[in-house]
Amino acid sequence: MNSQPKLHILFTSEEIEAKVKTLAGEIRRDYQDKHPLLIGVLKGSFMFMADLIRLLDFPLEVEFIRLSSYGSGRESSGKVRVVQGLRSLIKGRDILVIEDIVDTGRTTGFLLDYLRKKMPASVKLCALTDKPSRRQTPVTIDYLGFTLPNKFIVGYGLDWDEKFRYLPDIRVIEEEG
Ligand code: 5GP
Ligand code: MG
């Protein structure tokens, strides 16, 4: 069956902009003298990362990592691996991971463990969205944007089968039955 998804706006682009500004303020306060390495988790975090970083007017470096956890479905496989790794040295650095969403926590939990083994000075997590009701692996989010209900969201970098990443707002996807 080829059902058409229905989308409802959950957070408007203005709400997202305000939230990103708030997060940038908190991050500036904590990192302005630390020359941190910000690691964006591809692909979902690219839009958030771009908006956040241009509000951080202090020395920092940018990296990206790509992990696989989701296939084409909506459920995390539970098995996470690094698809595209880091070129920057992690040892001794202050690391801030930038995530689009923490759902079961498996992907982020794996990544934080992976980074901690590389002996950074510190590792913290900034996540635009959080679905705490879905958590399987405990994850501490140091800088959080929005708490979500147990719904599948798209837009602002987040996809459904590679679709809808371009949307400037965050929408809830619901399939018509
Ligand atoms: P976790 O390992 O925490 O279950 O899942 C993490 C990844 O699953 C996220 O980085 C994201 O790619 C995907 N994901 C989880 N929930 C959603 C959602 O509601 N919408 C979208 N587009 N992706 C999601
Ligand atoms: Mg992600």
Side-chain angles (χ1 to χ4, degrees), residues 41-42 44 99-101:
V41 185
L42 292 173
E99 269 283 21
D100 51 353
I101 186 163

Side-chain angles (χ1 to χ4, degrees), residues 41-45 67 69 98-102 107-108 158:
V41 185
L42 292 173
K43 300 181 196 174
S45 73
L67 306 167
S69 61
I98 311 294
E99 269 283 21
D100 51 353
I101 186 163
V102 183
T107 309
T108 314
L158 287 120

Side-chain angles (χ1 to χ4, degrees), residues 19 26 62 66 71 77 110 118 132-133 135 147 158 173:
K19 189 65 82 174
E26 294 171 14
V62 175
R66 188 152 177 208
S77 69
F110 168 89
K118 297 184 184 293
S133 63
R135 200 72 89 251
T147 300
L158 287 120
I173 187 163

Side-chain angles (χ1 to χ4, degrees), residues 20-40:
V20 174
K21 235 175 233 171
T22 303
L23 290 171
E26 294 171 14
I27 292 167
R28 183 192 299 111
R29 180 197 66 204
D30 295 349
Y31 283 96
Q32 56 189 343
D33 303 319
K34 291 191 166 166
H35 201 117
L37 177 63
L38 272 62
I39 302 179

